[in-house]
Amino acid sequence: MDSVKIVLNGSELDIQNGESFADLLKRHPVKNGENIIGVSIEGELFDMHAPIPTDGKAELVRVTSKEAQDILRHSTSHVMAQAVQHLYPDVRLAIGPAIKNGFYYDFDFKDPLSSEELEKIEGEMERIVKEDQKFTRFVKSRDDAVEFFKERGEDYKVELIRGLGDNEEISFYQNGDFIDLCKGPHLPSTGFIKAFKLLNLAGAYWHGDERNPMLTRIYGTSFFEDKGLRSHLAQIEEARKRDHRKLGRELDLFSMHEEGPGFAFWLPKGVVLKNLLVDFWRDEHRKAGYVEVQTPIILKKDLWVRSGHWDNYRENMYITEIDEYPFVIKPMNCPGGMLIYKETIRSYRDFPMRVGELGLVHRHEKSGVLHGLFRVRGFTQDDAHIFMTPDQIEEEVSRVILLTDRIYSVFGFDYFLELSTKPEKSIGTDAQWEAATEGLENALKTLGKEYKVNPGEGAFYGPKIDFHLEDCLGRLYQCATIQLDMSLPERFDLSFINRKGREERPVVIHRTVLGSLERFIGILIEHFGGRFPLWLAPVQVVVLPITKDHIPRAKEVCEQLMDRGFRAEIDDRNEKLGYKMREAEVKKIPYIVVIGNREVEEGTLSVRKGGGKDQGSFGFENFADLLEEEEKVKSVKTSIKNS
């Protein structure tokens, strides 16, 4: 091809073969060209130095563009690797991508690196940035690329090149004296990096495989302006304060022990919280037409062979023996649910069957990925299986979306949706996939929901909708999912009698709303900063007598509150009132009631709202009515200031 044609700002422009976007701008300058760091052609990003290989509509990528952050952070990871190489010449380089809100680079150091050395690396990075080194791109043949890195002792880079399939040309980027294997894109020069910070160190196995060497991963972030960096660092500090592992200990909710790595120990207040969440879940599902079942935790190997898990999921399963025969501690609830379905002959009149299960499941997670309640080995999954006829798909998917929307709104969560379609490896016919995907998509469109399509990212047994929940700090968590399954109905020979009196396969939806109760509680702890809304708080009111003379009245008030159904406690320790009030604040109890001489004489309560101001004086009935109304409404207010 002699040239490619792109359309930029409504004009068709020719780019000669091998020319970059920088070459084009020399012939066709644009306004504020100094802020341009690349171009997007039909959604594919190119930097100023890469040859433009394809025709299409072009969009300028400026420092203010959404795509610019990834380019900035990828480039900053190269600057960090360059600085590390200057300071530690014996280091070997692995990979350094941009990630959400930052970047990292994996290194193989000869001697261990300490956190104190990050400041020294930052200093060298600042020097490189000030030099305003230009990023330039060049290519080598596969053999020359391998030889280039072999000469430098960069074994990880050699392995990466050999894993690049049939690529005969390998691209490199250079800034100053630093050269790295890289597809790009990158900034025009290091001077575009205005604000950066190295955040922390972590261990990371090469390729994520614990059989491979443990590398040192340095995390960092960067921005085009100081304001963005300051805001991000403040958010990191707020997230540190809200860490559910820290708050879990402080609020007496749960603990983790070496004797059971990856398994949560629920403390009394944590059990109250968990049960409140389960009660809410059950109430919402009962109103939505679900019935609840329970299936055994341990089931015979034969079942898991039949379901396909034995062949495809065995490394994640715990296996035991009963009467010298293999049994599996269930990693998911689905196969047991299929057995319940098969207990009797089903008719189309039974449909839709909405069957929920709060099932305790166990998965063999690697120790390196365990993380508080977010990644555990034993958890309760709020599963449900909906059995239906094909023409009920759209309505039932819509019902699940609305149920999830209703539940998330109670906690003040926003979310966005992704529709994942047929992957390369799949089961079922094209017609089945088309009908299933159309059912999911029609439900989203009918409800007017915005969504992103992930082509080829569905499960092997069917397309799915994923809910990405956003907390008050803007962090995303994949929780709810709706999956259409074409595998288990076949494997378990499920059938129902249709309107014509013939046997037919049912359609099955697998869905969760909370996902894992443990993980969802971890999210809630951080979302609310431990200061739960009244209806969800393990302790709703603490009553504080000022002196021992006020204890009898304080006990009477506490008992009256409990008689009205509220979760109340008395703190009658021989401590000063200020000390007890500060402790109540640390425990983030929604309401603090103080009993002193005036309250005893007047029969009133002095009320303070946790995290807020004094509410004034109340009669008991007025205060109880206030609590009742707040609990009933389930009002939720969250902000980064409420913790």
Side-chain angles (χ1 to χ4, degrees), residues 612-624:
K613 298 179 180 178
D614 288 334
Q615 303 296 296
S617 185
F618 285 78
F620 177 83
E621 290 300 326
N622 288 341
F623 179 55

Side-chain angles (χ1 to χ4, degrees), residues 194-331:
K194 303 300 182 185
F196 64 88
K197 181 70 178 172
L198 300 187
L199 301 173
N200 60 282
L201 300 174
Y205 291 110
W206 175 234
H207 290 317
D209 189 333
E210 60 189 6
R211 294 168 296 184
N212 288 335
M214 172 70 80
L215 305 177
T216 300
R217 178 169 294 179
I218 303 179
Y219 284 98
T221 191
S222 58
F223 291 83
F224 286 110
E225 54 181 14
D226 286 332
K227 181 181 176 183
L229 177 61
R230 288 196 302 271
S231 174
H232 182 67
L233 294 178
Q235 191 175 59
I236 289 174
E237 177 59 22
E238 182 62 32
R240 187 191 64 78
K241 293 177 186 175
R242 290 169 178 256
D243 189 313
H244 74 282
R245 295 166 297 181
K246 169 179 171 286
L247 289 174
R249 292 190 301 272
E250 292 176 358
L251 303 180
D252 301 321
L253 299 176
F254 70 92
S255 59
M256 310 296 287
H257 297 273
E258 289 183 7
E259 291 81 355
F263 299 96
F265 289 70
W266 291 97
L267 307 178
K269 289 183 175 63
V271 171
V272 172
L273 173 60
K274 195 174 183 184
N275 287 340
L276 288 165
L277 189 60
V278 167
D279 289 345
F280 171 66
W281 183 92
R282 284 191 166 125
D283 189 47
E284 288 295 322
H285 281 73
R286 178 185 53 78
K287 290 185 286 190
Y290 286 76
V291 295
E292 187 178 349
V293 299
Q294 281 191 350
T295 59
I297 292 176
I298 302 176
L299 293 160
K300 252 183 169 181
K301 167 191 168 183
D302 310 52
L303 177 71
W304 305 100
V305 170
R306 191 174 183 185
S307 69
H309 292 94
W310 188 261
D311 292 330
N312 298 300
Y313 203 71
R314 195 185 321 178
E315 68 276 10
N316 297 103
M317 301 194 304
Y318 293 107
I319 300 166
T320 186
E321 281 192 1
I322 299 176
D323 297 331
E324 299 182 352
Y325 196 85
F327 278 69
V328 171
I329 302 173
K330 68 177 178 179

Side-chain angles (χ1 to χ4, degrees), residues 59 128 149 191 219 225 238 329 343 531 546 548 569:
E59 300 285 344
I128 294 166
F149 282 118
Y219 284 98
E225 54 181 14
E238 182 62 32
I329 302 173
E343 284 187 353
R531 194 173 294 285
I546 294 178
K548 64 180 181 180
E569 288 184 353

Side-chain angles (χ1 to χ4, degrees), residues 451-494:
Y451 62 95
K452 173 188 170 186
V453 177
N454 275 344
E457 293 299 317
F460 74 92
Y461 51 79
K464 62 176 182 169
I465 296 171
D466 288 328
F467 290 70
H468 294 269
L469 177 154
E470 183 178 2
D471 73 2
C472 67
L473 293 179
R475 298 171 299 181
L476 296 175
Y477 305 90
Q478 197 276 303
C479 289
T481 187
I482 305 171
Q483 301 176 350
L484 280 175
D485 182 11
M486 302 176 190
S487 174
L488 291 186
E490 290 287 341
R491 285 178 175 271
F492 282 87
D493 192 25
L494 303 189

Side-chain angles (χ1 to χ4, degrees), residues 37 63 65-80 96-104 122 125 129 135 186-187 189-199 218-233 236:
I37 62 170
V63 294
S65 303
K66 182 175 64 175
E67 303 91 341
Q69 291 287 3
D70 278 353
I71 297 174
L72 166 69
R73 287 162 179 165
H74 188 187
S75 300
T76 313
S77 78
H78 276 229
V79 170
M80 178 175 72
I99 56 174
K100 179 177 169 59
N101 295 325
F103 60 87
Y104 69 78
E122 283 181 348
M125 290 173 68
V129 167
F135 283 94
H186 281 289
L187 296 169
S189 69
T190 61
F192 279 78
I193 302 169
K194 303 300 182 185
F196 64 88
K197 181 70 178 172
L198 300 187
L199 301 173
I218 303 179
Y219 284 98
T221 191
S222 58
F223 291 83
F224 286 110
E225 54 181 14
D226 286 332
K227 181 181 176 183
L229 177 61
R230 288 196 302 271
S231 174
H232 182 67
L233 294 178
I236 289 174

